Amino acid sequence: MTLVAAVDIGASGGRVLTARVGPDRLDLTEAHRFPNTPLALPDGLHWDLGHLYSEVVEGLRAVAAAGDVPRSVAIDSWAVDYGLIDPAGRLLGLPYHYRDVRTSPAVIAAVHAASDPDELYRANGLQFLPFTTLYQLAAEAGAGVGAGKPGPRTSAALAGAARLLLVPDLFGYWLTGAQVAELTNASTTGLLDVRDQTWSAALARLAGIEPGLLAPLVTPGTVIGGLRPGIAEQTGLPTSTAVTAVGSHDTASAVVGVPAEGENWAYISCGTWSLVGVELDAPVLTTASRRAGFTNEAGVDGRIRYLHNVMGLWMLQECLRQWAPRADQRPALLADLLDQAGALASGGPVIDPDDPQFLPPGDMPTRVAAAARASGQREPATPAETVRCVLDSLAAAYARTIDTAEMLSGRRVDVVHIVGGGSRNTLLCQLTADALGRPVLAGPAEATAIGNILVQARAHGALSGPGGRGRPGDVSLEALRALVRRTTRPARYLPAPAAAPALAGPRGD
């Protein structure tokens, strides 16, 4: 048995877990949980990274206090957001939140004027999303867009930066002193060449930065370093505790934790965002793929996560914030509203959850009602009707996305796996099966942490392959998923008769 610790930070909260892993064992224990609350400052929306880092350290301290000494620690988080480090290694200001409005239409237009969207897609393979790191940097570079050098409107932080680190890489730097860029998260930035999986100097300059700002790339399973002496003293863990790179984009880890078998499956990593797609061996870079809004992100072991970002449970979370300002009231309210929504008849309003109007925080119920009204449908009149509208709309979007993924990739989908927190939403899972007309397997909810843990365990020899060692070449991704199947029990949802036409709407567009 090998003990490892996973730090898993999402857009709304984080946790530190430990796991004992062996060939037929995967036991998770939560050591610490904490909220992730953004900061609305006069200059925009930011992440409170100081608070998050202190909670990571507190979580590792809790691990040590329990008498556990993990062989390795690894961090995963959301994608695209970054911190800028000065030549002395200091963080230059609080990183912006991807929902901040600084990536205005004018910034996007400037980038696309410097690079044709088809050429850009062939280079980085990414779905157009205004918060992609490339566009965030273009906003920060001001008049330097496309030049790779500071312009007159470049931010002071960017002008003084020696290194850019994505959020999990920044935490890894603070723990170890090593500045690296993990590949799966790097692939979400728009700065990585999708074909050869290396930083692209041309894309960096398009964003308005010098390529040297980007840290050396590492792949999942690489040991970044041991704990700094000061961190070891703070946490009570030895300096020999390895910090290991995993799929540091939380979706990359979640896809590792999908208990899938064979090839003909799709996944929905369902949380604040829903990442919906299939796993491929090579990117799909056609114009049709770009126009359909599909992205080609790096997965563990050289796989491609061919997916589309759907707005996800963010819409439901924002509705709950509007109805219940106190966070402690929301779980009971959600349970009650889901019961009421499930009792409603099908055939209610269905809106497009990918509409950009749903991206910012704020009064989500009003926006949902307005979208229904604008499309000529009856507005949801009660909170339960709003919840049903959101869930029906997500299910319809999932069905359209998976049908389109099949068409564009040529990969047949016989079963769909929902993992992440959304797998606990039984109404959403059933509506998704109905919209798809295919079976849905829901769980594990902890897929991201499981994927993080399994890549660590493999790297440190806990799982033996034909060579008798735990290196990536010896233990396949399929073997990791087989262990998930042996140690978890997904819930199965079958489509209700004649349900799909009522929910799915147009397909393959």
Side-chain angles (χ1 to χ4, degrees):
M1 298 296 297
T2 296
L3 182 73
V4 299
V7 179
D8 175 26
I9 310 175
S12 58
R15 57 267 181 94
V16 180
L17 306 96
T18 57
R20 286 178 168 80
V21 187
D24 289 294
R25 185 173 173 185
L26 180 58
D27 298 333
L28 275 66
T29 302
E30 184 175 294
H32 185 57
R33 181 176 288 267
F34 51 92
N36 183 1
T37 305
L39 292 174
L41 300 177
D43 68 327
L45 192 63
H46 296 263
W47 296 106
D48 190 355
L49 278 205
H51 165 73
L52 293 178
Y53 180 67
S54 69
E55 293 287 4
V56 169
V57 172
E58 181 61 33
L60 296 179
R61 185 182 295 116
V63 170
D68 293 327
V69 180
R71 184 163 181 178
S72 169
V73 175
I75 303 164
D76 66 74
S77 83
W78 69 94
V80 305
D81 290 332
Y82 58 90
L84 295 169
I85 305 298
D86 76 5
R90 296 170 298 204
L91 180 66
L92 294 165
L94 287 175
Y96 277 92
H97 192 296
Y98 62 81
R99 294 189 192 274
D100 183 74
V101 297
R102 66 182 177 146
T103 50
S104 67
V107 171
I108 310 304
V111 172
H112 290 174
S115 178
D116 175 76
D118 271 331
E119 292 180 4
L120 184 58
Y121 189 73
R122 286 191 292 270
N124 65 25
L126 294 192
Q127 170 188 2
F128 165 67
L129 293 167
F131 48 73
T132 297
T133 315
L134 188 156
Y135 301 112
Q136 291 197 49
L137 286 168
E140 194 146 10
V145 170
K149 296 179 180 179
R153 290 183 287 113
T154 297
S155 74
L158 184 56
R163 184 70 82 201
L164 178 152
L165 294 174
L166 296 170
V167 168
D169 300 324
L170 179 59
F171 286 153
Y173 164 59
W174 283 339
L175 291 176
T176 68
Q179 296 182 1
V180 299
E182 188 278 318
L183 181 65
T184 68
N185 218 0
S187 75
T188 71
T189 63
L191 307 174
L192 196 78
D193 187 303
V194 68
R195 290 185 177 89
D196 64 16
Q197 302 288 282
T198 59
W199 291 124
S200 165
L203 290 171
R205 293 191 176 100
L206 176 65
I209 65 170
E210 289 288 356
L213 197 63
L214 303 170
L217 291 163
V218 297
T219 55
T222 303
V223 174
I224 299 169
L227 294 178
R228 294 182 194 239
I231 300 301
E233 184 178 354
Q234 282 183 273
T235 61
L237 296 174
T239 57
S240 59
T241 305
V243 177
T244 304
V246 293
S248 68
H249 181 202
D250 51 13
T251 305
S253 280
V255 174
V256 172
V258 172
E261 189 169 13
E263 292 187 341
N264 299 321
W265 53 276
Y267 58 84
I268 302 172
S269 180
C270 186
T272 299
W273 284 92
S274 290
L275 294 305
V276 184
V278 294
E279 186 176 71
L280 303 176
D281 294 322
V284 179
L285 301 174
T286 61
T287 298
S289 179
R290 178 184 70 80
R291 289 176 175 168
F294 272 77
T295 204
N296 297 268
E297 295 174 355
V300 171
D301 290 2
R303 309 293 173 87
I304 294 293
R305 292 177 287 123
Y306 185 62
L307 59 87
H308 176 76
N309 284 260
V310 177
M311 198 66 69
L313 293 175
W314 161 255
M315 296 176 68
L316 187 56
Q317 292 164 358
E318 282 298 282
C319 285
L320 289 170
R321 266 187 277 274
Q322 190 69 24
W323 296 324
R326 282 176 41 195
D328 61 341
Q329 298 172 331
R330 294 171 198 155
L333 176 60
L334 176 60
D336 184 48
L337 289 175
L338 287 173
D339 285 343
Q340 295 179 46
L344 296 173
S346 60
V350 174
I351 59 177
D352 179 9
D354 289 339
D355 191 311
Q357 70 171 308
F358 300 123
L359 182 61
D363 186 352
M364 191 65 70
T366 296
R367 280 178 276 170
V368 169
R373 182 173 63 252
S375 60
Q377 301 177 84
R378 177 181 58 82
E379 294 182 32
T382 66
E385 289 183 357
T386 300
V387 168
R388 182 59 183 262
C389 175
V390 168
L391 297 185
D392 277 344
S393 300
L394 289 176
Y398 298 161
R400 288 194 301 271
T401 300
I402 289 170
D403 283 352
T404 305
E406 276 190 304
M407 178 182 66
L408 294 172
S409 70
R411 176 64 56 83
R412 191 180 82 246
V413 174
D414 295 331
V415 63
V416 175
H417 290 265
I418 298 181
V419 296
S423 67
R424 296 190 177 105
N425 190 320
T426 58
L427 178 57
L428 177 60
C429 292
Q430 185 59 59
L431 293 175
T432 300
D434 294 344
L436 285 162
R438 277 168 276 198
V440 164
L441 294 178
E446 301 290 352
T448 299
I450 288 172
N452 175 322
I453 286 159
L454 289 179
V455 170
Q456 286 188 78
R458 180 177 68 173
H460 291 277
L463 304 170
S464 297
R469 302 172 72 178
R471 298 176 303 181
D474 296 325
V475 181
S476 69
L477 198 50
E478 286 71 25
L480 298 184
R481 291 180 177 137
L483 176 58
V484 182
R485 291 197 300 276
R486 293 196 298 273
T487 55
T488 63
R489 195 179 297 274
R492 186 177 182 85
Y493 296 84
L494 298 176
L503 287 179
R507 297 192 173 199
D509 53 321

